[in-house]
Amino acid sequence: ISRSDLDGSGVDTLVGGFPLTQLPTTVRVAEEFIYWATRDLCLTRTGCTPEPGTIQRSNLDGTNIVTVIDNLIFPQDVVITSDYIYWTDQNAGKIQRSNLDGTDATDIITGLTTPVGLSVITAPVPIPAALWLFASGLLGLVGMARRKA
């Protein structure tokens, strides 16, 4: 996992040393950590025993690498929110979630066929201004009708 200047110069490897059979898939930066999923390339070949996939994180400078979640089959599509980590596990056919420290992992959706791509929207949906205007106008009409009566 590397970073560089916007023009591509100044390439700096933050996290390296992955085994040749382990592939970091999704990399996400959230708050003060870099999160990534690793999966074993053995799943794409026959005749080998795959290692479990993981979701790991490190500080922004690549230090203090921690395995947050382990024993996944084929993790991918990691999304970080202010409270949770969400990910797809392709071979398990699941979308899962845990706390940011990896505790309380739970299945959100199961029984999927090769889930790919994940987006999580956590912001509240705003009520359009037109609805507020309509409601205030309606209240005004009710007030006027009561005054006449």
Side-chain angles (χ1 to χ4, degrees), residues 52-149:
T54 63
I55 295 177
Q56 296 178 296
R57 77 175 183 206
S58 73
N59 296 333
L60 292 176
D61 63 0
T63 60
N64 195 29
I65 298 172
V66 174
T67 298
V68 179
I69 302 165
D70 59 4
N71 292 318
L72 301 173
I73 299 174
F74 207 75
Q76 191 165 317
D77 306 315
V78 176
V79 174
I80 310 297
T81 67
S82 59
D83 299 318
Y84 299 107
I85 305 170
Y86 294 84
W87 68 94
T88 61
D89 199 330
Q90 284 187 342
N91 285 25
K94 300 178 183 181
I95 296 175
Q96 297 173 284
R97 176 184 84 183
S98 77
N99 295 325
L100 293 174
D101 63 0
T103 59
D104 202 24
T106 185
D107 295 344
I108 301 295
I109 301 173
T110 61
L112 300 171
T113 304
T114 316
V116 176
L118 181 63
S119 180
V120 177
I121 300 171
T122 59
V125 178
I127 297 175
L131 182 58
W132 289 111
L133 289 172
F134 175 75
S136 63
L138 189 59
L139 287 173
L141 288 173
V142 168
M144 286 175 52
R146 283 188 172 184
R147 185 178 284 174
K148 287 183 179 183

